[in-house]
C-alpha cells in the first residue's frame, strides 16, 4: 500500500483516480507467505466495480480445481501478503463469499447496479477467518496449552484463527502451503501444544526435533575441548 501512495504522487489525474479507487476499496491483512502475482489491470477493474456498485459475473476455479460461474455484488479487495481476495455477496447463494483474485476470470459486461449491504464489522478479520486455513495445501488443528487471548496476541490473523476451549487451553486452526511454514507458526506459539496431523507435518517436526537435539548435544559444555 505504501508503494501505491508513492505512485499516486507522480501519476496524471486520470490514472491517479484509479489508484485512489484501488486504495479506497482495499483492506490489508498482516503479511504472510508470498502468493501469485496479479495483473494490475485486474485489480483496478475489480476496485472500479466495487466503487460503482455493479454486479460482476466471472468464471472461478476453487482450490480443488472445480469450475463454477459466479454472480456477485463486489465490495472489497483484501490483501494477504501477496495474495488478493475479493469479498463479495454471492447472489445465488445469498451469503458473503471470498474469492482469490488469481482464480477469477471476468465476464463482460458488468451490471446492473446494486443497493449496498452492511459489511461485516471487521472485513480483515472476517476474510482471515474464512480463508486462513481453508486456502492452504496443508491444514492443521493444534491444541495449545495456553489461554486463547495469549496465543491470539502472538500470531497474526494470516497464520490462523484461535478457538477458546477453556481458561488454559485453545485450538489453533492454521494452514500453509508448506510444512516448513506450518512449523514456523507452531514455533511462534511459545507454549506446549499437541498436533495429530497432517502426516507430512509430523514427519517434519520429528526431523526438527532430532536436529535440535543433535545441535544441543554437540554444543554441550562437557563436549568442548581446548
Amino acid at each position: 500500500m505504501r508503494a501505491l501512495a508513492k505512485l499516486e504522487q507522480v501519476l496524471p489525474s486520470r490514472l491517479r483516480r484509479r489508484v485512489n479507487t484501488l486504495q479506497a476499496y482495499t483492506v490489508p491483512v498482516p503479511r504472510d507467505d508470498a502468493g501469485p502475482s496479479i495483473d494490475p489491470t485486474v485489480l483496478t477493474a475489480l476496485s472500479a466495480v466495487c466503487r460503482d456498485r455493479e454486479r460482476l459475473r466471472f468464471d472461478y476455479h476453487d482450490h480443488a480445481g472445480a469450475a463454477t460461474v459466479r454472480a456477485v455484488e463486489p465490495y472489497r479487495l483484501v490483501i494477504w501478503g501477496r495474495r488478493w481476495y475479493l469479498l463479495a455477496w454471492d447472489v445465488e447463494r445469498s451469503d458473503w463469499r471470498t474469492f482469490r483474485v488469481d482464480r477469477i476470470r471476468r465476464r463482460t459486461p458488468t451490471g446492473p447496479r446494486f443497493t449496498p449491504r452492511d459489511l461485516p464489522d471487521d472485513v480483515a478479520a472476517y476474510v482471515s477467518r474464512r480463508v486462513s486455513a481453508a486456502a492452504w495445501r496443508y491444514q492443521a488443528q493444534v491444541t495449545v496449552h495456553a489461554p486463547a487471548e495469549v496465543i491470539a496476541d502472538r500470531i497474526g490473523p494470516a497464520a490462523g484463527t484461535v478457538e477458546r476451549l477453556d481458561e488454559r487451553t485453545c485450538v489453533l486452526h492454521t494452514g500453509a502451503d508448506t510444512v516448513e511454514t506450518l512449523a514456523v507458526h507452531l514455533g511462534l506459539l511459545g507454549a506446549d501444544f499437541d498436533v495429530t496431523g497432517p502426516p507430512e507435518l509430523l514427519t517434519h517436526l520429528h526431523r526438527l526435533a532430532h536436529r535440535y537435539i543433535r545441535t544441543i548435544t554437540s554444543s554441550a559444555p562437557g563436549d568442548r575441548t581446548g
Side-chain angles (χ1 to χ4, degrees), residues 37 47 59 75 88 99 105 107 126-128 165 167-168 181:
S37 59
S47 61
D59 298 297
Y75 282 83
F99 303 94
R105 298 295 179 267
R107 293 191 174 196
Y126 178 85
V127 173
S128 295
L165 292 182
E167 293 182 356
R168 299 182 178 180
T181 301

Side-chain angles (χ1 to χ4, degrees), residues 70-91:
R70 314 302 281 265
V72 305
E73 298 173 355
Y75 282 83
R76 291 291 187 275
L77 289 169
V78 177
I79 307 173
W80 187 334
R82 286 180 57 196
R83 284 185 174 84
W84 290 79
Y85 291 86
L86 174 68
L87 174 65
W89 179 265
D90 193 307
V91 176

